Amino acid sequence: MPIAMHIAYAVLAFVLGSIIGSFLNVVILRTPLHQSIVKEPSHCFSCGHRLAWYDMFPIFSWIFLRGKCRYCGEKISPRYMIVEAATAVLYCLAYLVFGFRLELAFSAVLFAVLVVLSAIDIDRFEIPYWCSITTAVLGVIAIFVFKETPWHERLIAMGVIMVIFVILVLVGGMGGGDLQLMIGASLLLGYKVFVALFIGVLTGAVYGTVKKLRDRSDEKEISDKLKRLAEEWYQNQLDQNVGYVTEGHDDIIVGSISEGDPDIEWEFLDENVWRGLPDKAKLSRELRKNITDEREGGFKIFIKGDKIERVKYSRRMVFGPFLGFGIATCWLVGGHLINWYLSLMR
Ligand SMILES: [Zn+2]
């Protein structure tokens, strides 16, 4: 194929990717809300003005409008543009790597799924079930159509991934959704899935460290507030003689904050070591009234004897986008990465 033709197809893949990306934005926003994907016309989320076609031009509309609504001037999240650009770049890379081979069709589905699950994971801290299923279906088809990776390699990879993930989920940080995704990915990638996991964990850890530093003062503030409220409540319980006095026992209150709404999982509290029944509703009420942090986070309040010993609060971290990045990288160039690494060993 002449080089000019090659470039034309690469540009076409980019444009097609950006259009698919703008459709994915709709999927990302509406599927978690169980809204129809096609029924409602697109509109500004701030002023409700219906968008014209030139407002919905992938990537470029956002750039030309400088990230603001044409009608009300309200800021539009760069997320829409990022989703479109990411899909466009991935589609373009898929063409450059695979040309018009069957892998290109796989890439089109896989990359769309990875972009969607990354964004939904960031929004809602969960990877939709259908995204993991779709990845797994691609993996199962791959067993039959891409025989250069033998089926037993894919199954062994899947088994090992499951063992690794049991540990990762127990240690904390990763969730069940991450495991489901990686099971599908191991069928699709074979041993390359370990490189994908490595890339995902590594980039995730780098981001996690940056985030920890950035969030540190906010986290401190919220955890101090939690501690103060818990202390007031606990002192009140002690005064009412329900407070917990059993020597040598520690107790713990576990909860999470989601969309500015603290929620306590009371089943973690061991009421047997309390003198009376703690007024659980009172603490829930106090927290709801005073803590309105919009970011997702979890907390633990440690009680020891007659005082609140300490409070641990941290904002939650997602791994979906990083695993997705690892999977996409290994799907595209995983073989090259492994060969390059092996050549270093020689
Ligand atoms: Zn508007």
Side-chain angles (χ1 to χ4, degrees):
M1 200 190 294
I3 188 82
M5 204 65 186
H6 218 52
I7 293 170
Y9 278 127
V11 171
L12 192 67
F14 185 91
V15 172
L16 191 70
S18 72
I19 295 168
I20 300 279
S22 72
F23 171 72
L24 296 182
N25 271 321
V26 181
V27 175
I28 290 161
L29 280 176
R30 294 193 184 170
T31 49
L33 307 172
H34 298 291
Q35 286 177 354
S36 159
I37 291 170
V38 282
K39 226 165 59 194
E40 236 181 299
S42 299
H43 54 84
C44 167
F45 284 99
S46 179
C47 67
H49 199 294
R50 218 178 133 166
L51 300 180
W53 64 269
Y54 47 80
D55 297 319
M56 296 188 286
F57 217 79
I59 306 173
F60 297 102
S61 281
W62 190 89
I63 294 173
F64 287 134
L65 294 169
R66 277 183 244 104
K68 289 191 181 104
C69 170
R70 186 193 300 278
Y71 308 100
C72 67
E74 193 63 38
K75 227 180 130 215
I76 304 169
S77 165
R79 247 274 297 280
Y80 304 108
M81 195 272 283
I82 293 169
V83 164
E84 287 157 1
T87 316
V89 168
L90 285 168
Y91 274 43
C92 185
L93 287 173
Y95 168 74
L96 292 175
V97 170
F98 298 121
F100 287 111
R101 302 217 312 271
L102 184 57
E103 284 91 339
L104 187 62
F106 268 65
S107 308
V109 179
L110 177 68
F111 291 161
V113 167
L114 293 178
V115 167
V116 167
L117 74 84
S118 298
I120 292 183
D121 197 13
I122 290 170
D123 286 351
R124 312 196 159 250
F125 291 88
E126 63 181 28
I127 293 174
Y129 203 51
W130 65 266
C131 289
S132 306
I133 295 282
T134 310
T135 311
V137 168
L138 287 177
V140 171
I141 301 173
I143 295 175
F144 300 101
V145 295
F146 302 126
K147 297 218 164 130
E148 61 276 17
T149 305
W151 63 270
H152 57 263
E153 176 184 322
R154 299 178 193 271
L155 291 183
I156 292 169
M158 185 174 83
V160 176
I161 278 288
M162 285 164 94
V163 173
I164 294 175
F165 258 83
V166 167
I167 298 164
L168 287 178
V169 172
L170 286 179
V171 169
M174 297 257 185
D178 299 319
L179 169 62
Q180 287 162 9
L181 173 65
M182 293 310 278
I183 286 176
S186 53
L187 288 176
L188 188 63
L189 297 171
Y191 294 153
K192 285 182 283 184
V193 77
F194 302 121
V195 184
L197 180 62
F198 179 73
I199 293 173
V201 169
L202 195 70
T203 50
V206 169
Y207 173 79
T209 309
V210 173
K211 184 173 127 58
K212 201 85 208 159
L213 294 172
R214 199 190 59 198
D215 285 353
R216 201 165 43 184
S217 64
D218 286 345
E219 286 182 342
K220 171 109 178 53
E221 193 184 309
I222 290 162
S223 112
D224 287 349
K225 210 171 187 181
L226 279 165
K227 185 151 194 258
R228 186 173 53 75
L229 293 165
E231 273 167 351
E232 279 170 19
W233 172 78
Y234 191 57
Q235 190 54 53
N236 176 275
Q237 301 300 298
L238 289 173
D239 293 345
Q240 310 219 354
N241 229 357
V242 271
Y244 130 142
V245 284
T246 315
E247 285 294 324
H249 279 287
D250 299 343
D251 213 351
I252 183 170
I253 295 171
V254 179
S256 58
I257 303 174
S258 177
E259 290 168 26
D261 201 12
D263 192 28
I264 298 174
E265 291 169 44
W266 285 111
E267 59 270 25
F268 285 93
L269 198 72
D270 183 7
E271 284 176 8
N272 295 325
V273 299
W274 287 63
R275 187 177 286 171
L277 273 186
D279 187 352
K280 298 187 278 196
K282 187 180 164 72
L283 181 61
S284 295
R285 227 170 23 238
E286 287 301 315
L287 294 190
R288 291 231 163 93
K289 206 161 63 191
N290 293 290
I291 296 194
T292 51
D293 188 56
E294 284 293 319
R295 307 277 286 280
E296 298 270 338
F299 60 82
K300 284 179 183 164
I301 299 170
F302 298 89
I303 309 174
K304 194 161 196 166
D306 60 354
K307 66 176 174 57
I308 300 291
E309 194 188 32
R310 67 196 167 94
V311 171
K312 226 180 110 186
Y313 167 80
S314 60
R315 282 178 168 165
R316 227 186 290 173
M317 151 99 195
V318 285
F319 267 103
F322 302 103
L323 294 174
F325 174 70
I327 293 169
T329 306
C330 286
W331 170 252
L332 286 170
V333 293
H336 296 293
L337 284 178
I338 290 175
N339 287 337
W340 169 74
Y341 182 72
L342 291 179
S343 77
L344 294 180
M345 311 267 287
R346 247 177 245 130

